[in-house]
Amino acid sequence: MNRRHFLARSAAGLSVLGGFSSYAQANLNKASILVIGGGFGGATAAKYLRLFSNNTANVTLIEPNASFLSCPMSNFVVAGMRTMADITSPYESLTKHHGIKLIRDSVTAIDPDKKTVTLASGTTLGYDKVVLSPGISLMMNSIEGLAKANQAGITLQAWKAGPETLMLYKQLAAMRDGGVFAISIPEAPYRCPPGPYERASLVAHYLKQHKPKSKVLILDANQDLTSKGALFKKAWAEQYSGLIEYRPSHNVAGVDAKTRTLRFEVQDDVRADVLNVLPAMSAGEIAIKTGLANANGRWVNVDFLNFESTATKDIHVLGDAIQTAPLMPKSGHMANQHAKVAAAAIIAQLNDWPINPAPVVNNTCYSFVNEQAAVHIASVHQYDAQAKTFKSVPGAGGLSTESSTKEGSYAWGWAHSIWADTLA
Amino acid sequence: MKFLASSFLLILSLSGSCWAQVSTADQLYQQSLAATCANCHGTNGKGLPNQSIPLISQISSEELLAQLLAYKSGTRPGTLMPQLAKGYTDAQLESIANQLGKKP
């Protein structure tokens, strides 16, 4: 941009300043904004709604968990290399540093007509804007016998970071040397495409050290790895030869809890000692219950300029729950980026300003192939006004050339930074 | 450098007290653009000390822009930044550098 362009654009900025009325400011101050869900999407939205409004917007964050549990880096807990404390962050900084009201509760209903939200405690709150970041729901009923098996702890998902994360490690630690750890992957799209392959790698790293006669079996419903395929395959061949076995096109149809056996649509049954079954996923339950899941009944279509649901006005949906733009992954990093676009659009709207016509988001995703070395995938997505969606910029983004400990160190830097950007 | 100084003055004069205030739609757009860097480099570019990721708020806006453009053109090597810089327009990189670089 040369000097003339810069001045021209600043002049445009000045003309907008003229539209900044006290009436609009009053709208902004009066509006009640309820943020539902304190994951990467919701917590970031709450914080940036305050930052973008010079701390004047009235923002309440509703989240049932006492503290934030990070899915990124939770595979280190599964593999016994880190503790739950290492992936846990407090929510209190959002109140202390940013003046966000916190309600520890879950939402049982949203009424878009009355514009109210009902909490499990029975309280009903009115809203002008809802930011809904409900995460995913695991479709336990899509696999015969899974709901019961998972409830009994015969299978575990450990895909939403929480008690199952540690339970899965305990099962791995209790497994005999020579045992089989099986992880099954649903058809894409699902939360965190490379996550299962990272988990398999870190579990293999653990087994190599502690139980070298054991095996990791990856049962993938997809025809090939859905992310970072060549990088993972190279790492597995070099570091875990004979320890990791990858089986594509293996779609789990049923679970026999008694015999710890997985049944498939076509292939032979698989018996394993530890069963990490990941079923198909959908938008979080509250999004479906509110009638927002208008993409195959599973995901929420949004207007990508402000992330408002196309089903209902004044409910903005973020993160893994949305029907993503092409080549846009379901990741925590991306949810944080959605949140900033949505927060800016909501503040613009409440100020009576036009919404940014050209937002941009990026994705950065690191995966570890062993305790120290990581690989990355990155992408940049610019809004395309004609197509009304984000488009991945050709020639930008890409993958690591190979795994390295340098990228492993960047990966931990990324984790601490995004936790702070989201929560501190 | 003259240009950068004048843009800072302009931003300061628009916002009154603190440059980070949002008083216009344009400032909101610019801040939300720079916020795409915050996941790794910290809110408002204030990164975490003692981590592996460079603290960009310690670099002047002029130098930061030079680095971003060098990543974009491929003359500066890196792991992730060359890939990300290629996805932004020059004008976007300039806005980011102005906002996140070290203040004079």
Side-chain angles (χ1 to χ4, degrees), chain A residues 47 54 340 354 376 382 409 421, chain B residues 22 29 35 43 52 83 87 92:
Chain A
K47 174 173 161 177
N54 307 318
K340 290 162 181 169
H376 82 258
Q382 298 266 5
S409 126
D421 185 43
Chain B
V22 178
Y29 304 166
T43 307
S52 49
Q83 298 172 351
Q92 287 172 334

Side-chain angles (χ1 to χ4, degrees), chain A residues 79-80 169 177 204-214:
Chain A
Y169 166 64
D177 189 5
H205 184 91
Y206 165 89
L207 292 174
K208 195 175 168 179
Q209 289 181 320
H210 301 284
K211 295 162 191 179
K213 289 180 221 154
S214 308

Side-chain angles (χ1 to χ4, degrees), chain B residues 20-67:
Chain B
Q21 287 272 312
V22 178
S23 305
T24 69
D26 193 53
Q27 286 171 2
L28 179 63
Y29 304 166
Q30 305 302 320
Q31 283 205 20
S32 62
L33 169 64
T36 65
C37 309
N39 304 41
C40 300
H41 291 285
T43 307
N44 261 328
K46 289 188 187 68
L48 299 172
N50 308 317
Q51 291 290 339
S52 49
I53 295 176
L55 295 168
I56 54 172
S57 61
Q58 307 294 309
I59 305 169
S60 73
S61 292
E62 204 171 33
E63 173 60 19
L64 191 54
L65 179 59
Q67 288 188 13

Side-chain angles (χ1 to χ4, degrees), chain A residues 256-274:
Chain A
D256 184 343
K258 270 187 198 156
T259 57
R260 293 182 168 274
T261 301
L262 302 179
R263 217 172 51 248
F264 296 87
E265 283 165 353
V266 183
Q267 299 87 352
D268 292 343
D269 293 355
V270 168
R271 209 204 73 81
D273 299 272
V274 179

Side-chain angles (χ1 to χ4, degrees), chain A residues 46-130:
Chain A
K47 174 173 161 177
Y48 277 82
L49 281 162
R50 293 284 293 170
L51 291 178
F52 290 155
S53 67
N54 307 318
N55 297 318
T56 59
N58 175 7
V59 181
T60 302
L61 176 64
I62 306 165
E63 162 62 42
N65 289 326
S67 40
F68 173 92
L69 288 170
S70 176
C71 287
M73 300 304 178
S74 69
N75 283 334
F76 275 93
V77 181
V78 169
M81 298 159 189
R82 289 288 195 283
T83 65
M84 289 301 281
D86 294 323
I87 59 165
T88 304
S89 304
Y91 281 117
E92 284 72 21
S93 300
L94 291 174
T95 303
K96 264 191 274 176
H97 299 160
H98 303 287
I100 293 156
K101 191 179 169 198
L102 283 176
I103 297 180
R104 191 180 166 192
D105 207 336
S106 49
V107 171
T108 54
I110 304 171
D111 186 331
D113 298 322
K114 291 185 187 150
K115 297 188 90 169
T116 58
V117 162
T118 305
L119 307 180
S121 61
T123 307
T124 296
L125 305 165
Y127 70 80
D128 296 288
K129 285 283 186 187
V130 157

